[in-house]
Amino acid sequence: MHYEIPAPSIPQLRRIPPFDLLADGALHRLLSGSKLIRAERGEILAQAQDVATSIHIVLDGEVRCVLLSPSGNEKLLRLVGAGDLYGEEAALLGRHYMATVQAQRQTRLLVVPVAAFRHAMAETAAFAQAITMRLAAAAYELMAHLQLCVQLNSTQRVAQYLAQLAPEDAERWEIHLSSDKQTIAAQLNLTPETFSRVLSRFAREGLIRTEGRRRVVLDKLSQLRNCAAQ
Amino acid sequence: MHYEIPAPSIPQLRRIPPFDLLADGALHRLLSGSKLIRAERGEILAQAQDVATSIHIVLDGEVRCVLLSPSGNEKLLRLVGAGDLYGEEAALLGRHYMATVQAQRQTRLLVVPVAAFRHAMAETAAFAQAITMRLAAAAYELMAHLQLCVQLNSTQRVAQYLAQLAPEDAERWEIHLSSDKQTIAAQLNLTPETFSRVLSRFAREGLIRTEGRRRVVLDKLSQLRNCAAQ
DNA sequence: CGTAGTGTTGAATAAGGTCAAGCATTGTGG
DNA sequence: CCACAATGCTTGACCTTATTCAACACTACG
């Protein structure tokens, strides 16, 4: 990490929910013990097994939370972009991280000690409530993740992933992939090879067309949805 | 469900955390809209896809939360015993359940409408904080679950499961399985057959001995731990 | 003693992963 | 603008792993 300076006042933070709920004084107190750090692509920001002592807020850039297996296999849990935060669960519980956190590209983060965070929650009920809802949403997302990865086969996973990127009622939709295919494969807990094979099978069956590296045309969304829910 | 009556005052609930944090008045208000229901073994208490409108507290008995796949496959998420509750995430978010909930045996539950629950949280900060910590713990558990089911192979999963039932420093330990082997297999996202095969391989290699149906002697815990973390 | 529920074992199968080769796309420096 | 490297993507052959199906054994309980 390139530099680490106190961050007593970050006007940027005012606009990032849930920190917009804090009054000036509360925000200042929260930030008085915080540090601003910068990380380059690939840098490790938190190791699984480290005890979490702070909450990290991504100001700009992007970080990836991955689960590492003993055999070196990695599974992408989520991408955290600007304005988002991570580490609440582990830090609030005072346990070690489950995931390893790595900068995806050059990233600036705010590191808030958990004590200050807890204090802000005690001080501002609306803030505490927002955090509670975030945690509920996180648990909910994880259940969805578990269902996707544990229960569905590769075809269903890919179909579901593609279908959910289009509006509910559409039959044809053109999408631009938000990351490269390896990353998407990792989110779906597939190898790039398997992901590629499923896509080309869908293409052969006329359900989709891939144009270039990141453009996919979903031609038969109803069939795709059917594929996912079968 | 056999009967459904108002439950304005349940002395039992005073002792169940986090409800012990509520003052008399708050507890009464929470319960005034609640219902007491009884379910027989096998009864479905909540379907995935139902919108969650209440939090369920298990007074006695046991329920299982399972993820159902389109193909009918089921994965056990957790068992909820007396004094525990479920449905907070979905109900607080106002979304549908991810899991299907089924009574494992005869069970009495308290059904608390989410509005009353939210009101109690707003009214009593300590209660809200306890709920927040529960949600953090739930998210944390789910990540552990995800790591176990997605990343480890069957051998590692079983080894890890067995090893964690013994104290950290022991080398030999005798355990009594808390449920039947099918249920444990479901928790580990394995078929009963695969689970049985792994156990008998461990037995053949002298790492464990199974005595009767529910008794397992872990003879070489260090090797077992090694097996899990490899 | 018989039955239902539970656990074990084997053989066949299918699904994905791994390895390796080659093609395509993007970006860079001359 | 082109050559080239680097990276990402695709495809095929093969292999590992766990599931499925089926038969059978064990246990508990009436």
Side-chain angles (χ1 to χ4, degrees), chain A residues 68 96 132 140 147 150 189, chain B residues 68 96 132 140 146-147 150 189:
Chain A
L68 289 178
H96 62 76
T132 303
Y140 197 85
Q147 171 136 41
V150 168
N189 201 34
Chain B
L68 289 178
H96 62 77
T132 303
Y140 197 84
L146 206 51
Q147 172 136 43
V150 167
N189 201 35

Side-chain angles (χ1 to χ4, degrees), chain A:
Chain A
M1 286 156 230
H2 282 193
Y3 58 90
E4 192 158 315
I5 58 164
S9 146
I10 305 285
Q12 205 171 348
L13 203 62
R14 308 215 68 114
R15 282 172 287 121
I16 298 180
F19 300 96
D20 57 346
L21 298 170
L22 293 175
D24 284 11
L27 193 58
H28 260 85
R29 278 187 290 283
L30 183 70
L31 291 178
S32 63
S34 300
K35 296 257 189 286
L36 180 67
I37 62 175
R38 183 189 295 260
E40 297 299 320
R41 175 182 168 87
E43 249 180 276
I44 303 293
L45 292 159
Q47 292 272 9
Q49 317 304 348
D50 291 353
V51 171
T53 58
S54 47
I55 276 100
H56 293 207
I57 307 163
V58 177
L59 295 174
D60 48 47
E62 194 174 43
V63 303
R64 357 183 285 135
C65 301
V66 297
L67 287 177
L68 289 178
S69 79
S71 52
N73 208 320
E74 58 181 51
K75 149 110 195 79
L76 182 59
L77 259 187
R78 66 178 189 127
L79 292 170
V80 186
D84 211 348
L85 58 158
Y86 65 86
E88 315 100 288
E89 317 86 2
L92 283 174
L93 294 168
R95 301 203 214 154
H96 62 76
Y97 290 99
M98 287 294 311
T100 296
V101 184
Q102 185 182 33
Q104 177 85 331
R105 40 194 159 99
Q106 183 171 296
T107 300
R108 288 192 316 136
L109 304 110
L110 206 54
V111 181
V112 183
V114 65
F117 197 79
R118 261 213 201 86
H119 191 264
M121 286 177 68
E123 192 174 20
T124 309
F127 180 72
Q129 198 191 333
I131 295 297
T132 303
M133 294 307 276
R134 289 187 77 94
L135 286 169
Y140 197 85
E141 294 300 318
L142 280 166
M143 274 195 274
H145 218 117
L146 206 51
Q147 171 136 41
L148 192 74
C149 289
V150 168
Q151 295 232 283
L152 275 41
N153 62 30
S154 57
T155 309
Q156 294 170 319
R157 270 179 268 174
V158 176
Q160 175 141 325
Y161 175 80
L162 292 176
Q164 105 199 347
L165 292 176
E168 288 277 343
D169 52 348
E171 173 61 22
R172 227 189 70 88
W173 197 254
E174 196 170 337
I175 56 180
H176 180 81
L177 301 178
S178 58
S179 12
D180 52 25
K181 294 190 183 173
Q182 305 178 67
T183 303
I184 293 170
Q187 279 180 68
L188 299 173
N189 201 34
L190 295 172
T191 57
E193 291 96 327
T194 302
F195 184 53
S196 170
R197 278 186 248 269
V198 175
L199 283 184
S200 52
R201 198 173 70 244
F202 282 160
R204 213 175 311 128
E205 289 166 359
L207 302 192
I208 66 170
R209 276 171 291 154
T210 62
E211 298 178 349
R213 186 167 279 186
R214 286 201 165 188
R215 191 140 230 97
V216 184
V217 185
L218 312 178
D219 278 324
K220 298 186 177 166
L221 263 161
S222 52
Q223 280 190 48
L224 216 52
R225 289 196 197 92
N226 207 43
C227 224
Q230 183 194 23

